[in-house]
Amino acid sequence: MALLRGTWLMVLATATTAAPPPPLPPSAAAGADAGQIVLHAGGHIDSNLHAASPRRKLNGRFLHITDLHPDEYYKPHASTEEGFACHRGEGPAGAYGAETSDCDSPFSLVNATLDWISANLKDSVDFVVWTGDSARHDSDTYHIPRHNSEIIKTNRIIADKFVETFSDSKGLTIPVVPTLGNNDIYPHNVLMPGPNDILRTYTDIWRHFIPQEQRHSFEFGGWFYVEVIPDNLAVFSLNTLYFFDRNGGVDDCVAPSEPGYKHFEWLRVQLQFLRRRGMKAILMGHVPPARTEGKQLWEETCWQKYTLWLQRYRDVVVGSLYGHMNIDHFILQDTRDIDLTVIDPAAWKSSRSRESMDNDLSVKSRTDYLLELRDAWSELPDPVLYAEEVEIEQTKKNKKHKKKGKNKLGGPWAERYQLSLISPSIVPNYFPSIRIIEYNISGLEDSATWVDTLRVLGDHPKLRPYQEGNDQESILGDDFYVDKHKKKKKGKKGKKPKGPPLHVPDGPSKTAPPGPAYSPQPLTFTGFTQYYANLTYINNDITADGGGDLGELKWDSGKHSDKKPKFKKPRPREFTFEVEYSTSEDKVYKLKDLTVRSFVDLAHRIGQTSAKSEVDAEGSEYEDEDEDADMEEDQDKFEEDEGDDDFDDDSDDDGDGDEFDAAKKKKKKGKKKHKGGKKKKDHGKSNKTWLYFLKHAFVSTRTEDELIEEIY
Ligand SMILES: *[C@@H]1O[C@H](CO)[C@@H](O)[C@H](O)[C@H]1NC(C)=O
Ligand SMILES: *[C@@H]1O[C@H](CO)[C@@H](O)[C@H](O)[C@H]1NC(C)=O
Ligand SMILES: *[C@@H]1O[C@H](CO)[C@@H](O)[C@H](O)[C@H]1NC(C)=O
Ligand SMILES: *[C@@H]1O[C@H](CO)[C@@H](O)[C@H](O)[C@H]1NC(C)=O
């Protein structure tokens, strides 16, 4: 590290002759023009900046905010019905938004949210993860169709608002990391390979957020990262639109010409580099890697690569944060679903394709989705039982310690699984909601913060100590960013992809301890607090609550659609967020931290309410052993075939038998069938955890009866 720092400073010294940063367009908030660069006009670094303010310390908290969806056409007391979209007519649309409806957010809500954050959170968070969709939906296509200029305009307004909220007189005081949502582009969902006008435009809109030296690569791919704690922690903004099944502008993540392929190559190189520097990473994006029995949001090869990458970099990745779905929940990726034959052109085999999930979840599809999640969770091994098994094992001294990788969790840290946390939205499909995630800063209390180092030093193309013998850098050399600009046609599913054999990333070193996502340590997420704004109370329009309109309609006009506001002119109360729940105190969730294992345990408990768990409980032990045997056979074969390429990187890895579970295809012998009919009768055990999870999924907008009606 000392060496790196040395290099860094040397390069910095020569950087003073570089050109000044580009002038800021007039839309920049006043006083915020420093952004992430504070090189003065002549390129000199003002060393007085350090002295000017006391050093900022880490708080061990950061903000996750998502899906603001501001709508400049929103009209209070307009109708929430489909076709009106809170733009016209008369109805219950509140001053701060129409909670539980499909209407977008009035600017009053967006402003009030950021004002509240400014007054209450600004100084107690270390960075901001902002996962996209800062334009309205195209839900009023007949009267007011969306246009590119409007999307760009609202994004500019919101980006500037973030700058204003988190800045002092010299610029941002904490880093803000945005990412592209599927509604931030026109037409929605379709983002062609870069460079293109959209990415160039966002390079400008987000100039305060994207480190200077990464602007070039952002224009090519819409991805970047920020060292939110310099030399310790980076947040990676993934451009999930290149993984999104609905993006007709791209095909898959296997063909080297595809931006999704390049994205994973970029990510691999960066994570490798971080590992070498002893740093950790948070991954974030808009569209989550949701994938249930029947549906998925990401194209399958992209999901496969992602899951494989996370398995290989499980020592580096702290956690993964997403938005888009608006419901508060989490998903677990099972590394046993990794199938290298889907992503390795050399061994290619067509994959079963799932239905691409509805872009914006309707009542019906979100219900199906949550039920499918629960079904999958009902098959999870019980981590508590596993812990007991291990203990028994260890007390039997004569027995050699259990061969690693032979258990269903993938070892004591549940490394078989990966966790994605999905935060609910500002747009009030339920109640507007924000999340504060707490993470462990033990030992980092006095480390230099972003504002004291990166902001002051500025980021310069030459600054990255990237040349430090990084043999993989060449991948991202000139060829990598060549603009192919060829016309694309949506590839046919089931056609063999062309490309070089898969380069499986290196796994953790044999001696590496489990990563922060798995075992509690510095940077591990320790908990989160979910905040919500009770718009029913704040809007002050609706007197008695007579229950909602819960038809299986695509459009949700909200629970107040048939009600009349009590005042002619809105008389809202003061806008505020309250705590909905906090994982560290929650008596039902019982999450002592946010490690994967804690969530496997929670998911297991939620799954136990499923009819299925009882059916499957018997004999699952034996089934699993068979599976293990199968898998090992497959694995041997695979490794033989793949003889001496990248896979050998890990051949010295004998202690870690789980390593290549990844390569093993799980064979499900028709085990997964939807047991629709049984559900109604069978929530015999305790459906408490499941209903509690649902209550939070819909940000406490539903009563238990409504939940039961909606889900069963
Ligand atoms: C929101 O804030 C912006 C300034 O940041 C202001 O121009 C706009 O009028 C505000 N809108 C509402 C509805 O408060
Ligand atoms: C934070 O990490 C330190 C060092 O690993 C550990 O001792 C401590 O218990 C952790 N704190 C929490 C709240 O997990
Ligand atoms: C929100 O406010 C309404 C009206 O005051 C109240 O009936 C309801 O219980 C509140 N909901 C929550 C979750 O706070
Ligand atoms: C489970 O939910 C059903 C509603 O579908 C309810 O009637 C029942 O009492 C619940 N069972 C338990 C044990 O909580």
Side-chain angles (χ1 to χ4, degrees):
M1 201 88 306
L3 178 74
L4 289 186
R5 276 204 178 286
T7 322
W8 176 283
L9 289 174
M10 254 167 54
V11 183
L12 178 68
T14 60
T16 51
T17 53
L24 296 161
S27 68
D33 43 9
Q36 299 191 353
I37 346 142
V38 186
L39 291 175
H40 282 195
H44 296 294
I45 292 153
D46 185 351
S47 50
N48 290 327
L49 282 175
H50 256 311
S53 51
R55 272 175 67 104
R56 196 184 165 103
K57 291 203 163 203
L58 291 175
N59 296 282
R61 288 148 48 93
F62 68 91
L63 169 67
H64 182 189
I65 182 168
T66 194
D67 291 84
L68 279 75
H69 289 290
D71 177 0
E72 61 180 316
Y73 300 101
Y74 184 99
K75 278 230 312 264
H77 290 183
S79 168
T80 57
E81 298 292 340
E82 180 163 25
F84 292 89
C86 292
H87 293 163
R88 288 174 301 282
E90 280 183 30
Y96 285 106
E99 73 278 19
T100 72
S101 82
D102 283 344
C103 290
D104 285 309
S105 307
F107 265 95
S108 58
L109 171 60
V110 171
N111 284 6
T113 296
L114 286 164
D115 289 348
W116 190 88
I117 289 170
S118 176
N120 295 279
L121 296 174
K122 176 186 173 175
D123 295 321
S124 64
V125 292
D126 301 331
F127 53 95
V128 178
V129 168
W130 165 28
T131 45
D133 265 6
S134 304
R136 67 183 170 104
H137 291 93
D138 207 1
S139 48
D140 197 9
T141 42
Y142 186 72
H143 293 276
I144 324 177
R146 265 165 41 119
H147 289 297
N148 193 42
S149 58
E150 181 197 338
I151 297 166
I152 298 305
K153 186 177 99 185
T154 52
N155 262 284
R156 228 178 247 290
I157 292 172
I158 302 298
D160 289 349
K161 206 106 194 131
F162 271 81
V163 173
E164 187 190 315
T165 303
F166 297 105
S167 286
D168 61 15
S169 60
K170 299 190 191 77
L172 286 170
T173 56
I174 55 172
V176 173
V177 190
T179 190
L180 281 174
N182 61 308
N183 286 292
D184 294 327
I185 52 180
Y186 181 86
H188 87 300
N189 297 345
V190 181
L191 181 63
M192 301 298 285
N196 55 44
D197 283 346
I198 294 179
L199 292 176
R200 267 188 289 271
T201 304
Y202 278 98
T203 311
D204 178 56
I205 294 177
W206 292 345
R207 65 197 174 281
H208 299 286
F209 312 131
I210 304 170
Q212 167 99 347
E213 85 284 357
Q214 292 182 65
R215 286 180 196 171
H216 182 63
S217 79
F218 181 86
E219 283 185 10
F220 278 87
W223 51 68
F224 68 101
Y225 70 90
V226 178
E227 284 191 33
V228 294
I229 308 177
D231 293 328
N232 282 293
L233 177 66
V235 171
F236 279 72
S237 175
L238 304 180
N239 182 359
T240 55
L241 301 184
Y242 286 147
F243 311 150
F244 193 26
D245 210 28
R246 297 241 154 179
N247 182 358
V250 298
D251 289 339
D252 55 53
C253 289
V254 176
S257 58
E258 287 293 323
Y261 176 92
K262 292 179 181 182
H263 201 341
F264 279 109
E265 288 304 289
W266 173 83
L267 185 62
R268 178 167 63 78
V269 171
Q270 303 304 335
L271 291 178
Q272 188 69 35
F273 191 50
L274 250 55
R275 175 186 279 155
R276 207 175 291 179
R277 292 175 65 192
M279 287 180 64
K280 306 295 176 191
I282 292 172
L283 308 185
M284 61 79 104
H286 179 68
V287 180
R291 178 179 179 269
T292 56
E293 175 66 7
K295 302 188 198 69
Q296 66 184 34
L297 284 172
W298 287 12
E299 197 279 329
E300 176 68 6
T301 60
C302 304
W303 187 92
Q304 288 285 341
K305 273 204 174 166
Y306 178 78
T307 311
L308 176 60
W309 264 221
L310 259 66
Q311 196 257 358
R312 307 307 285 164
Y313 292 107
R314 62 189 183 275
D315 56 329
V316 177
V317 176
V318 181
S320 311
L321 311 171
Y322 294 94
H324 179 69
M325 299 185 79
N326 300 346
I327 43 185
D328 177 349
H329 71 298
F330 60 93
I331 52 188
L332 294 167
Q333 293 100 244
D334 183 349
T335 57
R336 288 197 188 170
D337 288 340
I338 297 176
D339 181 355
L340 294 185
T341 63
V342 172
I343 41 174
D344 185 0
W348 194 75
K349 200 168 81 195
S350 176
S351 65
R352 175 179 74 109
S353 59
R354 294 167 164 80
E355 191 188 323
S356 161
M357 216 187 305
D358 261 359
N359 180 18
D360 299 300
L361 287 181
S362 65
V363 176
K364 167 93 171 71
S365 68
R366 80 183 163 223
T367 304
D368 287 352
Y369 169 69
L370 290 170
L371 285 168
E372 284 189 1
L373 272 187
R374 191 192 61 170
D375 272 1
W377 293 345
S378 73
E379 295 185 351
L380 286 173
D382 182 350
V384 178
L385 262 179
Y386 170 72
E388 283 164 9
E389 270 170 34
V390 169
E391 235 168 79
I392 293 167
E393 204 74 34
Q394 278 165 350
T395 50
K396 287 196 235 158
K397 277 270 168 64
N398 52 343
K399 243 191 166 178
K400 277 244 171 118
H401 65 269
K402 223 175 162 188
K403 203 184 150 204
K404 248 172 134 193
K406 278 303 268 182
N407 74 78
K408 290 178 231 153
L409 279 180
W413 307 106
E415 285 177 306
R416 170 177 163 183
Y417 298 98
Q418 302 161 359
L419 172 67
S420 305
L421 294 172
I422 300 164
S423 179
S425 54
I426 293 297
V427 68
N429 283 176
Y430 311 104
F431 284 138
S433 195
I434 54 177
R435 177 172 291 185
I436 296 291
I437 300 181
E438 294 120 44
Y439 65 103
N440 191 331
I441 50 167
S442 130
L444 298 169
E445 294 88 347
D446 295 316
S447 50
T449 52
W450 179 88
V451 70
D452 290 324
T453 52
L454 292 184
R455 183 180 86 157
V456 173
L457 295 177
D459 276 325
H460 189 274
K462 293 253 162 64
L463 277 185
R464 284 294 103 157
Y466 198 44
Q467 61 276 44
E468 196 249 339
N470 189 350
D471 46 329
Q472 285 176 324
E473 193 191 358
S474 56
I475 295 171
L476 302 188
D478 297 341
D479 276 0
F480 188 74
Y481 288 123
V482 165
D483 174 14
K484 293 260 161 59
H485 255 329
K486 55 180 166 55
K487 196 93 184 108
K488 308 207 135 258
K489 259 175 58 199
K490 185 86 186 159
K492 283 188 195 73
K493 290 255 150 91
K495 226 178 85 192
K496 182 174 164 55
K498 286 196 205 83
L502 176 68
H503 185 152
V504 176
D506 296 339
S509 92
K510 239 193 294 184
T511 53
Y518 293 95
S519 94
Q521 58 191 272
L523 300 179
T524 295
F525 295 165
T526 51
F528 67 75
T529 302
Q530 197 66 42
Y531 290 84
Y532 74 109
N534 186 339
L535 289 192
T536 313
Y537 178 78
I538 294 166
N539 285 332
N540 194 25
D541 277 328
I542 306 301
T543 27
D545 184 28
D549 168 15
L550 294 169
E552 287 189 349
L553 302 164
K554 174 90 178 107
W555 178 269
D556 196 335
S557 48
K559 44 160 83 178
H560 311 310
S561 58
D562 53 347
K563 296 187 201 101
K564 262 187 118 142
K566 83 183 151 179
F567 304 113
K568 215 159 169 191
K569 248 187 95 192
R571 288 192 211 168
R573 297 185 167 103
E574 192 191 337
F575 184 91
T576 184
F577 279 98
E578 320 164 46
V579 171
E580 184 194 11
Y581 67 102
S582 170
T583 59
S584 53
E585 284 151 29
D586 199 283
K587 297 279 190 303
V588 177
Y589 277 176
K590 292 187 273 203
L591 290 166
K592 62 179 191 305
D593 52 39
L594 304 186
T595 56
V596 174
R597 199 191 145 108
S598 295
F599 273 91
V600 171
D601 176 62
L602 173 58
H604 170 79
R605 281 184 282 128
I606 293 170
Q608 286 314 293
T609 55
S610 175
K612 191 173 203 175
S613 54
E614 281 145 59
V615 179
D616 284 353
E618 259 174 81
S620 61
E621 192 74 21
Y622 296 104
E623 229 175 88
D624 253 58
E625 296 213 337
D626 287 354
E627 241 165 48
D628 276 352
D630 279 358
M631 285 196 278
E632 244 148 58
E633 229 169 73
D634 283 6
Q635 180 50 30
D636 290 347
K637 237 184 274 160
F638 198 80
E639 275 182 341
E640 262 167 47
D641 292 351
E642 292 304 314
D644 31 40
D645 70 5
D646 308 320
F647 294 98
D648 270 5
D649 291 359
D650 273 284
S651 52
D652 55 340
D653 219 301
D654 39 14
D656 198 343
D658 213 29
E659 214 40 35
F660 277 112
D661 270 4
K664 300 163 187 172
K665 170 102 176 112
K666 181 168 181 179
K667 288 179 186 134
K668 296 213 174 101
K669 298 143 196 151
K671 227 167 63 173
K672 288 204 167 180
K673 252 175 260 133
H674 214 73
K675 301 191 172 75
K678 277 198 95 173
K679 231 164 257 146
K680 207 144 209 143
K681 288 169 255 155
D682 255 49
H683 22 233
K685 284 191 184 171
S686 148
N687 41 23
K688 191 170 122 198
T689 317
W690 162 239
L691 285 176
Y692 194 75
F693 169 75
L694 285 179
K695 177 181 135 185
H696 289 148
F698 304 134
V699 199
S700 298
T701 52
R702 305 278 197 268
T703 65
E704 191 156 309
D705 287 345
E706 286 166 342
L707 287 176
I708 287 164
E709 189 186 329
E710 179 158 342
I711 216 84
Y712 292 113

